[in-house]
Amino acid sequence: MKVSPFKLERYFDKYEFSAPYLLSSSDCEPLLLNELLEMADENSRSEWDVLKLGYTESKGDPAFRNEISKLYTSITSDEVLVLVPQEGIFIAMNVLLEEGDHIVTTFPGYQSLYQVAEDIGCNVCKWEPDQNLKFQIQDLKDLVTDKTKLIVINFPHNPTGALISKNELDDIITIAREKGITIFSDEMYRFMEYDDKDRLPSVCDLYENAISLFGLSKTFGLPGLRMGWLTTRNKKFMQEFVNFKDYTTICNNAPGEKLGTIALQNKEKLIQRSLGIIQKNLPLLEDFANRHNKWFVWKSPKAGSIAFPELKINGTVMDFCQDLVKKKGLMLLPHDVYDFSRKHVRIGFGRKSLPEALTVFEKYLKEENI
Ligand SMILES: Cc1ncc(COP(=O)(O)O)c(C=O)c1O
């Protein structure tokens, strides 16, 4: 199978490590190694000090899988496969899908959630939100057919920060169960709901033929560890994922697993750290949106570290973003990298530098008379 270019990753590659002001990152402020190590209890700290840099267990370190299983209500450590988050999507789609299969997926979205299926030769139907960026269940129902093999959902959603309700999620599971459809649920932004009451259960806890994806990159501020996991109660899927992983990474990096264990032993602290940054930044962004509401139409997210406001500007959003990054070194993400036709930008507000970035943005707008 040949893979198509990943537009968002190629765009980030151009600017992420040269632009001084990042206003589109999806991860929360990454931790320093020492910050994380300071959270380790005595036992974990001494295990870290004598960590052997050998090959590791293919499914993941048992202690790490045990910590991961505690994030779910019904998942045992045997039902966890540790891998890189992006690898989890690639493996799952390759295992679950064949040329000609019909799938339905939330859209716009993180490209691999639909692109791998398209590259395999599947018929991909896109479940798009309405003008207010709300996903309507009826629209999903209209897309599902008797031939649908897989429903791919991503809540909290990248890039809109949208959530659905628990009842709506139950509706999706009912349809899937009735028609024998598998669900792949990307839950990378879980635990970043602004109101705890909005938090959805993990789909792998609700449905026996679901696979959930989660990891340490976003909520836990540890994207450089490259640690994520698939969870499923379906034993056949799990065995096939394990078999496939022998051709991608075989096993995980030992330091990442040990640091990941320390992170999950301190999960409450890390979640609160990320939510704290978000809750400080969101009002500043909303103020900015109010001041510029003629052309910058704010669409409130319900969870996560990103939003997808609409831009009512002359010219293309791509030109706007390119001019801004060239003149001021400030990076936004245009809707084009999402293959989405409506004029939006992705804004990230999980970084501590957001106030500074907004000041630079305001300066640009003033200079350009916008
Ligand atoms: C929804 C979603 N899924 C998966 C991933 C992949 O995570 P990672 O980059 O840590 O592999 C991302 C990263 O941006 C994402 O936003």
Side-chain angles (χ1 to χ4, degrees), residues 34-50 63 67 70 258-259 261-267 269:
N34 277 344
E35 271 180 277
L36 183 60
L37 284 177
E38 272 164 21
M39 292 181 194
D41 61 22
E42 230 173 90
N43 188 36
S44 295
R45 180 66 220 212
S46 51
E47 282 176 9
W48 169 254
D49 287 339
V50 295
E67 286 302 331
K70 293 179 194 167
K258 180 48 69 192
L259 294 169
T261 308
I262 296 169
L264 289 185
Q265 284 165 343
N266 292 281
K267 54 181 179 280
K269 246 187 246 168

Side-chain angles (χ1 to χ4, degrees), residues 28 68-73 75 154-158 163 169 185-194 196 198-206 212-221 229 231 267 270-271 274-275 278 303-305:
C28 287
I68 293 169
S69 68
K70 293 179 194 167
L71 299 168
Y72 304 89
T73 56
I75 293 292
N154 167 221
F155 297 110
H157 181 244
N158 172 358
L163 278 172
L169 181 60
S185 173
D186 182 320
E187 299 164 7
M188 287 299 289
Y189 297 85
R190 199 154 175 253
F191 294 108
M192 281 201 280
E193 300 77 11
Y194 313 146
D196 275 2
D198 288 339
R199 180 166 308 145
L200 294 168
S202 176
V203 181
C204 66
D205 279 325
L206 299 180
S212 292
L213 170 75
F214 195 17
L216 300 178
S217 303
K218 313 296 178 186
T219 312
F220 300 95
W229 51 87
T231 44
K267 54 181 179 280
L270 293 179
I271 292 168
S274 293
L275 278 175
I278 287 171
S305 41

